[in-house]
Structure formats: structure tokens, C-alpha cells
């Protein structure tokens, strides 16, 4: 055993030294006939041939042929890390295969945003290779940066119908020369234009003309959006104002034209001084303190389908119908700590309080095992026994058969538990919401609430849990109901018999 282990650690050291050196030169992953040394095959549920010769790039060697079943993947991992590359280049052939690329770190489980192949090219064909490039400074799809990380794995994952393709010449590149491009140019006011560019566009080459006559640019300010730093937005202030007519903005081969209408007149009543509530600048689960600061987020919401089953005493939750009714450990930390950091970054918080009768009991149970309900529409590709709770025709299991016993996955939840939790918080929310869209609980959380929610039940839950919240946190403001759509302003999941039982009044009159 010992010599083997020694050999393995020597390989690791070698691989990481090489990865660091390689930042100044390209790092081949697969070129011509095999995975390069240091790269391992971490694919799953796929038929993969690393020496396919039925379709090759160029005139010799081989390519990788891939036949992935649903959600399966070609995945490769480096023994070491590749932190500093400019991008990923590869050649691919196939009938626009439904593949999503991600860059991952097995050390800390972080991962890039998903990069759909279709965001790089929509013209990939069977029988001949297309050469594609992923720029790590502007990821296709999101436009975000890959950023620094202990990156060591690259995955090409198929969508729900699988994917069949050939891929060749997979290389991490040390440098990408960005072609200068004028992406957009439009007027903001009658003398200010916004111009978006990538690469080294010389702004002196941007020419503005109005009704065929050149207009001088008096001054300019440039801005790099924090989330898409590869792009530059420049505001050009013009030497004169334009009226009705044709505006053209040209740089190199690219021209943008706008036909400006005649001036529209209106008036602003300057005596009306109703302030806009600063709390409208809110987001759900901001990604970082920097994000809150940069965007000026005034309130951060802990909410969504994945908080209805939040058990603050254990730190468990699940996302109900959004992910196979599977319990998991909370992935945003505990609500109290989360409120601590969002508030530390300068935002208030809106905390959702579960208001059904159950919350997750652990991080691993699930409600619709295949062993109990074999006939379901789909099962978790990563946990094949966990089903989505739908019959093959799309009907919920709980509306046709005896629903699962909630105790399989949950422990009881009630106002006493809510009060204990809220009273013990170190960090206090400004607002609390009474659960999330519980008017559709019979669908999103059919395992714990199979019956459609009626007017009376929702009102009673809102009153009970609001009262408990106010008892635990006297200064808190309550947001309720947390409604999923306009439809549920007008009626309930029970249907119009429920309106009829309430003198034909809308749920929210
Ligand atoms: C790579 O992994 C896939 C999926 O597990 C497997 O089918 C394939 O045979 C492996 N190829 C090699 C060369 O190890
Ligand atoms: C892979 O492809 C080569 C060339 O087409 C073929 O000779 C070989 O048998 C294939 N391997 C597998 C495991 O199918
Ligand atoms: C891909 O694999 C499936 C089985 O998973 C098989 O039915 C199908 O014929 C394969 N397609 C190709 C092109 O090899
Ligand atoms: C990555 O790390 C380098 C060196 O520490 C730093 O200069 C660079 O700004 C970092 N990039 C990002 C996106 O954080
Ligand atoms: C603006 O362009 C349109 C054609 O797109 C043309 O019909 C019109 O006469 C132009 N207006 C002026 C003021 O040049
Ligand atoms: C303009 O187009 C021509 C022909 O398509 C191309 O060769 C040239 O590089 C382009 N110039 C710029 C500045 O994009
Ligand atoms: C779906 O299938 C179940 C079980 O066979 C059946 O009871 C139900 O009526 C079906 N629903 C629809 C909408 O067809
Ligand atoms: C309320 O929930 C707690 C925590 O699960 C449980 O211990 C308690 O028995 C419940 N109380 C009632 C009245 O159901
Ligand atoms: C029911 O609605 C009618 C018409 O809107 C109204 O006149 C009546 O007072 C309502 N009755 C009750 C019990 O609210």
C-alpha cells in the first residue's frame, strides 16, 4: 500500500506545480486522443468513448463521443487546481446538444453560474465541429466573471432529454483577445447617450450624427458594471440637444439608428412630495454583502418555497415540489446569522415565518420514495429513490391516493415553536411575512398540506402566526398574505364555491 500512496502524493504535487506554471500558457485537457496527464474522468451515467474515430477534428487522432442520459454528464477533474485561466476552448459537433457547462471546485463545492451551450452558439450541427470559447471574464449567458476559486472540475451536463455529441480539443486558454465591439448605443435624454462596449473600443471613433449632421461630444463618463466588468458603459454628453429626427451612432462597422419622435409634453407637480418608500429596493436572498452595498439593497428577504419547511431548531429545510420534497441542511445558514450579515451590510431584513403545521425533521428524509410510490413522473437524478410526487399524468399523488405520513419527513410546527424561535433571535427582522404563497400549498407542499387552502384557513393562519410574531417581537411589522399571484387576490384554491360562501367577495377585496 505505502508505495502507491507515495506515488499518488507525488502526482498531486506535480500536478499543482504544473497548474500554477500553466497560468502563462494553455493547459490542454483533451487533445486528439486522450485526457492529458493529471485529468481524471468524473463523468456519470454516460456512454463515453475517449478514442472515437467516427468523427474527428482535422485529419488524424480521435475525439470524445458522448451519449448522456437525462442530466448525466461528461465531467473531468484535474489533480490540482486551475485558478488563473482566461477561458475554455473546445470543438463540438452534434445537433445543438442540450448541454450546460459548469466550472466547479471539489474542495469547497462552489460552482460557476450554469453556462448553456446555446448561450455560446445556436448553430452547432451534427457531422462537423464548431469551435467555441468560454470567456471566464464574461461567462456566456450571465455575463459574470468566473472569479478566483480552487477550480478543478469541468462538467458538460445534459438536460432532461439527454445529449449526444462529439467533443475535441478541450483546452484552458491563458489569454483571450477580445474583439472590440460596440454592443449598444441609445439616447437617455435629449443630450445624453449611453454606449455599451466590450474590448478596446476607442471612444474617439464613436461618431454621432443627427439628421445627417455630425454632433460633437462635449464630455464622457465611463462605468464598469460590477456584475459584468468586461462591459463598459459610457455616457456621452453632447454639445447640442436633439429634437425630432434621426439619430445615428457609429463605431467602425457598427451603426445604431434611432428615430426620435417629436417632444412629448407633460408636467410635474412639484408641490406633491410623496416620498418613495426606501424599502422597495429589496431582493430575495442577496448573494453577498458586496452585492447589497453595490446595488444599495434596502431590504433582504428570506423567502420562497424553500423556507416553508425551515426548521430553525435543527437548521433543516426543503424546497417542496421544487426539488423532490427532499429535506436538506439549510444552504443559506441559519436565519438569525443570515439576518446578522445582511443587516451588517446595511440592509434591513424580511423574515418568512413558516405557518403550516410541519417543518423538516432532518437533512435527508423525503416524502415520495419510489419504493412506496413507484409510479411517478420523475425521480431525482442524484437520489433516484426520491420522486416528484406527481403521477405520470401530472396529477399530485396526494389528490388521488392517501398522502404520505408527514412524520416521515417532518416534525410539528406551531405558534409556540414560532414564538420560541423569534423571541430568541439575536438579530431582529424589520418585517415578517406569514409563510410563502401558502394558498398553493396543496401543490408546492402537497406532502404536508394536501387539501386546498380556503379563505378561512389562510386568514386563521395569518392571524395566529402574526399574533405570535407580535408577541415575540413587539416592534415587528407583518407582511401578509404572501400571495403567489393576482388570481389569489380574487379567489382561493378551493375555487369559486369559496367566494360564494363569502358573499361573493374577493379574497382581498
Ligand atoms: C468515463 O466515465 C464514464 C461514466 O462513468 C464511463 O462510462 C466511461 O467508460 C469512462 N471512460 C474511461 C475511459 O474511463
Ligand atoms: C471507441 O471507438 C473506437 C474507434 O471508433 C473503437 O475502436 C472502440 O471500440 C470504441 N470503444 C468502445 C468502448 O466502444
Ligand atoms: C444513446 O444511448 C441510448 C441508451 O442510453 C441508446 O438507446 C441510443 O441508441 C444511443 N444513441 C447513440 C447515437 O449512440
Ligand atoms: C483574483 O485574484 C487576483 C490576485 O489575488 C486579484 O488581483 C484579482 O482581482 C482577483 N479577481 C477577482 C475576480 O476577484
Ligand atoms: C428619418 O429616416 C426615415 C427613414 O428611416 C426617413 O423616412 C425620414 O425622412 C428621416 N427623417 C429625417 C428628419 O431625416
Ligand atoms: C469591418 O468589416 C470588415 C469586413 O467584414 C472586417 O474585415 C473588418 O475587420 C471590420 N472592421 C471592424 C472595425 O470591425
Ligand atoms: C391521472 O391519473 C390518476 C391515476 O391513474 C387518475 O386517478 C387521475 O384522474 C388522472 N388525472 C387526470 C387529470 O387525467
Ligand atoms: C408545538 O410544537 C412543538 C415543537 O415541535 C412541540 O414540542 C409541541 O408539542 C407543539 N405543541 C402543540 C400544542 O402541538
Ligand atoms: C353581501 O353583499 C351584498 C352586495 O354586495 C351586500 O349588500 C350585503 O350586505 C353583503 N352581506 C354580508 C353579510 O356581508
Amino acid at each position: 500500500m505505502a508505495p502507491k500512496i507515495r506515488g499518488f502524493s507525488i502526482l498531486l504535487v506535480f500536478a499543482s506545480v504544473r497548474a500554477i506554471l500553466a497560468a502563462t500558457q494553455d493547459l490542454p485537457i483533451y487533445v486528439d486522443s486522450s485526457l492529458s496527464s493529471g485529468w481524471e474522468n468524473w463523468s456519470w451515467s454516460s456512454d463515453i468513448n475517449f478514442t472515437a474515430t467516427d468523427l474527428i477534428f482535422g485529419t488524424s487522432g480521435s475525439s470524445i463521443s458522448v451519449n448522456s442520459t437525462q442530466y448525466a454528464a461528461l465531467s473531468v477533474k484535474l489533480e490540482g487546481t486551475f485558478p488563473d485561466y482566461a477561458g475554455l476552448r473546445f470543438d463540438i459537433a452534434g445537433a445543438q446538444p442540450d448541454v450546460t457547462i459548469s466550472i466547479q471546485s471539489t474542495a469547497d463545492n462552489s460552482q460557476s453560474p450554469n453556462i448553456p451551450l446555446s448561450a455560446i452558439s445556436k448553430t452547432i450541427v451534427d457531422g462537423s465541429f464548431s469551435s467555441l470559447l468560454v470567456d471566464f471574464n464574461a461567462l456566456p449567458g450571465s455575463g459574470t466573471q468566473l472569479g478566483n476559486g480552487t477550480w478543478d472540475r469541468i462538467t458538460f451536463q445534459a438536460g432532461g432529454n439527454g445529449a449526444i455529441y462529439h467533443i475535441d480539443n478541450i483546452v484552458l486558454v491563458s489569454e483571450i483577445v477580445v474583439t472590440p465591439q460596440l454592443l449598444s448605443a441609445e439616447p437617455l435624454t435629449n443630450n445624453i447617450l449611453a454606449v455599451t462596449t466590450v474590448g478596446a473600443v476607442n471612444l474617439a471613433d464613436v461618431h454621432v450624427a443627427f439628421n445627417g449632421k455630425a454632433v460633437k461630444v462635449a464630455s464622457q463618463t465611463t462605468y464598469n458594471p460590477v456584475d459584468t466588468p468586461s462591459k463598459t458603459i459610457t455616457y456621452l454628453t453632447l454639445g447640442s440637444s436633439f429634437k425630432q429626427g434621426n439619430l445615428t451612432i457609429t463605431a467602425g462597422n457598427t451603426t445604431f439608428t434611432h428615430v426620435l419622435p417629436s417632444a412629448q409634453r407633460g408636467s410635474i407637480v412639484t408641490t406633491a412630495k410623496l416620498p418613495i418608500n426606501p424599502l422597495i429596493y429589496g431582493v430575495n436572498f442577496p448573494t453577498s454583502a458586496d452585492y447589497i452595498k453595490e446595488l444599495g439593497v434596502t431590504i433582504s428577504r428570506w423567502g420562497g418555497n424553500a423556507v416553508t419547511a425551515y426548521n430553525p431548531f435543527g437548521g433543516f429545510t426543503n424546497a417542496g415540489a421544487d426539488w423532490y420534497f427532499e429535506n436538506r441542511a439549510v444552504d443559506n445558514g441559519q436565519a438569525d446569522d443570515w439576518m446578522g450579515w445582511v443587516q451588517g451590510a446595511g440592509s434591513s431584513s424580511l423574515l418568512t415565518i413558516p405557518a403550516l403545521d410541519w417543518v423538516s425533521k432532518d437533512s435527508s428524509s423525503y416524502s415520495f420514495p419510489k419504493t412506496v410510490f413507484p409510479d411517478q413522473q420523475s425521480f431525482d437524478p442524484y437520489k433516484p429513490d426520491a420522486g416528484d410526487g406527481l403521477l405520470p399524468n401530472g396529477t399530485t399523488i396526494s389528490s388521488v391516493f392517501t398522502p404520505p405520513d408527514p412524520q416521515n419527513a417532518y416534525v410539528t410546527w406551531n405558534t409556540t415553536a414560532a414564538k420560541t424561535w423569534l423571541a430568541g433571535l439575536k438579530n431582529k427582522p424589520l418585517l415578517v411575512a406569514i409563510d410563502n404563497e401558502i394558498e398553493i400549498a396543496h401543490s408546492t407542499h402537497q406532502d404536508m398540506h394536501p387539501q386546498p387552502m380556503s379563505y378561512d384557513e389562510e386568514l386563521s393562519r395569518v392571524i395566529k402566526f402574526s399574533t405570535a410574531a407580535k408577541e415575540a417581537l413587539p416592534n415587528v411589522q407583518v407582511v401578509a398574505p404572501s400571495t403567489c399571484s393576482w388570481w389569489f387576490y380574487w379567489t382561493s384554491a378551493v375555487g369559486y364555491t369559496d367566494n360564494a360562501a363569502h358573499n361573493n367577495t374577493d379574497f382581498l377585496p
Side-chain angles (χ1 to χ4, degrees), residues 430-470:
L430 179 70
L431 309 176
V432 289
I434 305 306
D435 216 315
N436 173 74
E437 303 181 355
I438 51 174
E439 57 274 273
I440 52 165
H442 68 288
S443 152
T444 51
H445 300 281
Q446 56 150 316
D447 55 343
M448 63 164 95
H449 194 285
Q451 311 78 22
M453 177 82 55
S454 68
Y455 277 40
D456 293 350
E457 183 183 345
E458 182 157 4
L459 178 63
S460 136
R461 287 185 185 275
V462 164
I463 291 173
K464 268 190 346 197
F465 281 92
S466 303
T467 306
K470 294 290 261 184

Side-chain angles (χ1 to χ4, degrees), residues 55-58 63-64 88-97 101 117-134 156 164-171:
L55 187 66
I56 57 170
F57 186 93
S63 68
I64 309 176
L88 177 72
R89 191 179 71 215
F90 56 92
D91 300 310
I92 189 164
Q96 194 65 47
I101 303 167
L117 202 55
S118 59
I120 315 173
S121 169
K122 291 193 171 61
T123 55
I124 302 164
V125 292
D126 206 7
S128 81
F129 284 91
S130 306
S131 296
L132 306 186
L133 183 65
V134 173
F156 298 78
I164 296 173
Y165 55 97
H166 285 75
I167 188 165
D168 201 358
N169 301 317
I170 312 174
V171 177

Side-chain angles (χ1 to χ4, degrees), residues 158-279:
N161 294 317
I164 296 173
Y165 55 97
H166 285 75
I167 188 165
D168 201 358
N169 301 317
I170 312 174
V171 177
L172 284 163
V173 294
S174 57
E175 193 186 355
I176 293 177
V177 178
V178 180
T179 311
Q181 250 186 302
L182 177 62
L183 297 179
S184 70
E186 62 267 310
L188 297 184
T189 68
N190 66 353
N191 69 340
I192 297 178
L193 307 177
V195 173
T196 308
T197 58
V198 288
V201 172
N202 182 355
L203 288 162
D205 293 341
V206 175
H207 298 291
V208 183
F210 190 64
N211 291 334
K213 280 179 63 183
V215 180
K216 256 182 65 182
V217 174
S219 65
Q220 66 186 53
T221 347
T222 289
Y223 168 72
N224 281 91
V226 68
D227 53 341
T228 54
S230 65
K231 290 184 187 165
T232 298
I233 300 174
T234 303
Y235 300 104
L236 303 178
T237 303
L238 304 179
S240 56
S241 299
F242 35 73
K243 303 187 190 76
Q244 181 182 6
N246 296 337
L247 174 70
T248 57
I249 304 136
T250 307
N253 293 0
T254 316
T255 297
F256 290 92
T257 303
H258 298 274
V259 178
L260 304 177
S262 60
Q264 309 290 306
R265 305 212 174 272
S267 60
I268 294 170
V269 182
T270 50
T271 49
K273 292 211 162 57
L274 263 184
I276 294 173
N277 187 326
L279 295 178

Side-chain angles (χ1 to χ4, degrees), residues 350-374:
L350 187 167
L351 177 66
T352 299
I353 303 174
L356 297 180
D357 301 324
W358 304 94
V359 291
S360 296
K361 72 173 181 188
D362 59 21
S363 61
S364 58
S365 300
Y366 46 94
S367 292
F368 296 101
K370 193 177 200 168
T371 42
V372 181
F373 303 100

Side-chain angles (χ1 to χ4, degrees), residues 53-119:
T53 51
D54 53 327
L55 187 66
I56 57 170
F57 186 93
T59 52
S60 63
S62 59
S63 68
I64 309 176
S65 74
V66 184
N67 180 351
S68 289
T69 56
Q70 66 163 198
Y71 305 120
L74 165 69
S75 184
V76 290
K77 184 192 169 298
L78 180 66
E79 296 154 353
T81 60
F82 53 87
D84 286 330
Y85 287 87
L88 177 72
R89 191 179 71 215
F90 56 92
D91 300 310
I92 189 164
Q96 194 65 47
D98 178 12
V99 167
T100 296
I101 303 167
S102 58
I103 318 292
Q104 295 151 328
S105 158
T106 58
D108 63 11
N109 274 324
S110 57
Q111 112 163 33
S112 68
N114 286 327
I115 305 162
L117 202 55
S118 59

